[in-house]
Amino acid sequence: MRALVIVLMVLGFVVGGIPLLGVLIDVMTSSDKEIVYQGGYAPLTNVQMSRDYESSLNLYFDSQSNASRNWFILASFPFLGAGLGALTAALMGRRGWRLTRA
C-alpha cells in the first residue's frame, strides 16, 4: 500500500503543478514594457460614469490588490494534488488495490 500512496502522491503533485507551471511560463514570456501614452489628455472631471463601468473598474482594481494572495493559492495546488493523491491511494489500498511487479 505504501508504494500506491507514493505513486499517487507524486502523480497528484505533478498534475497540481501544471497550472503553476503555465502561469510561470506566461509571466516569464510576457513583455514588461509599459506603453506610454503620447497623445493629448484632458482630465475627465464631472463626467458621468455608468454603474456597470464603475463596478468593472472596482473589480479590476480589487483583483490587482489581491495578487499575492492569488500566488499563494496557485502555489498550493501541487500540495493539494499530492494530498488528494495520497487520500485516493489510501482509500484504494483499503479496498484491496495493490501495486505489484509483473
Side-chain angles (χ1 to χ4, degrees):
M1 186 166 125
R2 182 184 305 166
L4 184 65
V5 170
I6 291 172
V7 166
L8 286 182
M9 186 182 288
V10 169
L11 183 65
F13 187 83
V14 169
V15 169
I18 291 172
L20 180 63
L21 182 65
V23 169
L24 289 176
I25 289 173
D26 181 48
V27 167
M28 286 188 281
T29 57
S30 64
S31 64
D32 291 335
K33 298 177 184 175
E34 292 185 13
I35 298 173
V36 178
Y37 180 68
Q38 299 293 333
Y41 171 74
L44 301 173
T45 56
N46 298 327
V47 175
Q48 295 295 324
M49 183 185 311
S50 70
R51 289 260 188 225
D52 295 333
Y53 186 65
E54 180 185 12
S55 66
S56 65
L57 280 178
N58 288 338
L59 287 174
Y60 174 74
F61 286 114
D62 286 344
S63 68
Q64 293 295 321
S65 65
N66 294 331
S68 62
R69 184 177 59 105
N70 292 343
W71 272 106
F72 178 73
I73 291 170
L74 192 63
S76 68
F77 282 176
F79 300 106
L80 289 172
L84 287 174
L87 179 66
T88 303
L91 292 174
M92 289 171 68
R94 304 274 268 151
R95 292 277 202 187
W97 286 70
R98 300 283 180 252
L99 283 181
T100 58
R101 294 183 184 187

